[in-house]
Amino acid sequence: MEGKDFVQITSDPLSVEKATAMVSSPTSGAISIFIGTTRNNFEGKEVVRLEYEAYVPMAEKKIGCICRDVREKWEVEHVAVFHRIGVVPVQEASVIIAVSSPHRQASLEAVQYSIDTLKATVPIWKKEMFAEGRGRWKENKECNWRKT
């Protein structure tokens, strides 16, 4: 099945509607979407925003590899992976992953794989900013460079 991959790293707000439209297809019976949003708390502290930084060329390359891996593992049509950098306020999306496929199981599994692999391999870093005025860079437990 020939489809398209859409990769975007941007400081602009992310759009679920745009991601859905990009992966929509008359030959697909399923679109699965993951939306990662900024929550207002972490370990009992009030979070007011997240701040993301990325090495964009490498991040785009790594996300492209994730899309390629998804195509090797599942029968999917289109894959969209959008990640926001810069400031992301509470309740706004930091990441959107959308996958279309002829059947739901493939798209559901592909989305799960994509977010897990993104968090483990893509050079995007997150700083949680707290109401008290301090911030803390957050390590992903999934990062494979943390495992020794």
Side-chain angles (χ1 to χ4, degrees), residues 18 25 37-38 40 46 69 71 81 88 91 98-99 125 138 141 146-147:
K18 178 180 175 183
S25 167
T37 59
T38 301
N40 69 357
E46 181 183 354
D69 290 349
R71 293 187 177 288
V81 180
V88 183
Q91 291 188 292
V99 178
W125 302 277
K138 179 136 185 209
K141 293 177 181 142
R146 288 186 71 230
K147 296 173 181 147

Side-chain angles (χ1 to χ4, degrees), residues 26-46:
T27 58
S28 290
I31 296 174
S32 296
I33 299 174
F34 171 81
I35 307 163
T37 59
T38 301
R39 65 178 172 270
N40 69 357
N41 66 86
F42 181 73
E43 294 181 348
K45 294 182 182 178
E46 181 183 354

Side-chain angles (χ1 to χ4, degrees), residues 55-109:
Y55 176 45
V56 175
M58 180 61 75
E60 290 173 339
K61 182 178 179 182
K62 290 282 193 181
I63 292 170
C65 290
I66 293 169
C67 294
R68 185 197 66 229
D69 290 349
V70 162
R71 293 187 177 288
E72 290 175 2
K73 296 175 182 294
W74 295 279
E75 183 183 350
V76 299
E77 184 141 354
H78 303 303
V79 179
V81 180
F82 300 159
H83 206 296
R84 192 162 168 190
I85 55 175
V87 174
V88 183
V90 170
Q91 291 188 292
E92 291 192 17
S94 300
V95 61
I96 297 174
I97 299 172
V99 178
S100 60
S101 63
H103 306 284
R104 72 178 178 271
Q105 192 67 31
S107 64
L108 289 167
E109 290 175 5

